[in-house]
Amino acid sequence: LAKTTQPISMDSYEGQEVNITCSHNNIATNDYITWYQQFPSQGPRFIIQGYKTKVTNEVASLFIPADRKSSTLSLPRVSLSDTAVYYCLVGAGTRGSYIPTFGRGTSLIVHP
Amino acid sequence: DAGITQSPRHKVTETGTPVTLRCHQTENHRYMYWYRQDPGHGLRLIHYSYGVKDTDKGEVSDGYSVSRSKTEDFLLTLESATSSQTSVYFCAITSSSYNEQFFGPGTRLTVL
């Protein structure tokens, strides 16, 4: 089971780019990397998923180096509404072999 | 938003009483999960299901049982509630074990 490590908290200001890095040294060959966002009093919401190199959608970009032992979630030009907890998950599998592990996540606070 | 609901949304109960939380989906997704979220612990997986009558334990399953007699419903039961089970409980669904999970609105349970 791949374990992830990410910073407990980060601070930023409106308009800045924010990069949150997640370490997953024992990632397996068939593991995907998935990021979620959670606002207070709500369930997590899927942001982005990738396997290698770079993935971009309308919300964020995900950078994955060749060795896949880490990944970086990039949020361009954050606003106050991006204040949330961000979780990095690593895993894959079929028929119940994948047990999602959210951990404590990274609490991002965006200041005016 | 994915069609996933949880009931009740709030519940206060006393130590030693049985409690059942219900997760209902209208997406016909195969996988369903129960998590609990506590301050300082992020989300922790309690039990999950990969099909009707197919369930397995997560990392914090002690004191909890689950049942899934039909695709759309996943029940979480606390046979004899304890104060340590005071938490916010989230249900999640996904069509594939490594695809994005969709979360319900959560149930806030208080055990006095």
Side-chain angles (χ1 to χ4, degrees):
Chain A
L1 184 64
K3 175 181 167 64
T4 61
T5 303
Q6 49 183 128
I8 296 295
S9 63
M10 294 182 68
D11 289 88
S12 184
Y13 292 89
E14 285 190 290
Q16 291 188 333
E17 177 184 75
V18 171
N19 296 308
I20 306 174
T21 297
C22 179
S23 297
H24 27 81
N25 291 319
N26 59 340
I27 187 169
T29 301
N30 59 344
D31 282 347
Y32 283 78
I33 300 158
T34 310
W35 286 80
Y36 287 82
Q37 174 191 57
Q38 185 180 26
F39 298 114
S41 301
Q42 295 184 25
R45 182 183 68 154
F46 172 89
I47 301 176
I48 198 166
Q49 183 182 71
Y51 182 80
K52 62 180 179 180
T53 62
K54 177 183 175 182
V55 179
T56 297
N57 60 23
E58 65 278 6
V59 176
S61 295
L62 179 59
F63 298 92
I64 305 169
D67 66 6
R68 304 199 329 122
K69 294 184 183 300
S70 67
S71 59
T72 299
L73 174 73
S74 181
L75 305 172
R77 297 182 299 281
V78 294
S79 64
L80 297 177
S81 63
D82 292 313
T83 294
V85 178
Y86 293 83
Y87 297 94
C88 165
L89 278 74
V90 173
T94 59
R95 197 171 169 75
S97 61
Y98 169 45
I99 300 178
T101 302
F102 275 78
R104 295 178 61 182
T106 298
S107 177
L108 172 66
I109 298 176
V110 179
H111 302 277
Chain B
D1 289 343
I4 177 170
T5 57
Q6 294 183 230
S7 59
R9 294 292 313 280
H10 302 272
K11 187 171 181 66
V12 179
T13 191
E14 294 187 350
T15 298
T17 60
V19 176
T20 295
L21 308 183
R22 180 187 185 223
C23 177
H24 179 76
Q25 61 148 328
T26 58
E27 305 296 322
N28 200 35
H29 283 343
R30 178 182 177 187
Y31 294 84
M32 299 185 75
Y33 305 83
W34 275 109
Y35 296 88
R36 61 177 290 174
Q37 185 165 40
D38 306 289
H41 288 280
L43 280 95
R44 293 181 290 176
L45 182 65
I46 305 172
H47 280 280
Y48 63 101
S49 170
Y50 44 93
V52 174
K53 295 189 182 350
D54 288 327
T55 64
D56 208 344
K57 297 178 180 180
E59 60 179 306
V60 290
S61 60
D62 287 348
Y64 302 94
S65 62
V66 290
S67 65
R68 191 170 177 197
S69 59
K70 46 187 178 178
T71 300
E72 58 266 35
D73 287 326
F74 192 33
L75 304 180
L76 176 71
T77 297
L78 292 65
E79 300 290 347
S80 178
T82 67
S83 59
S84 65
Q85 294 176 310
T86 292
S87 186
V88 178
Y89 292 85
F90 287 101
C91 175
I93 62 174
T94 183
S95 58
S96 173
S97 65
Y98 58 86
N99 280 355
E100 62 177 290
Q101 295 183 53
F102 298 96
F103 282 79
T107 294
R108 183 173 296 276
L109 175 68
T110 302
V111 184
L112 302 175

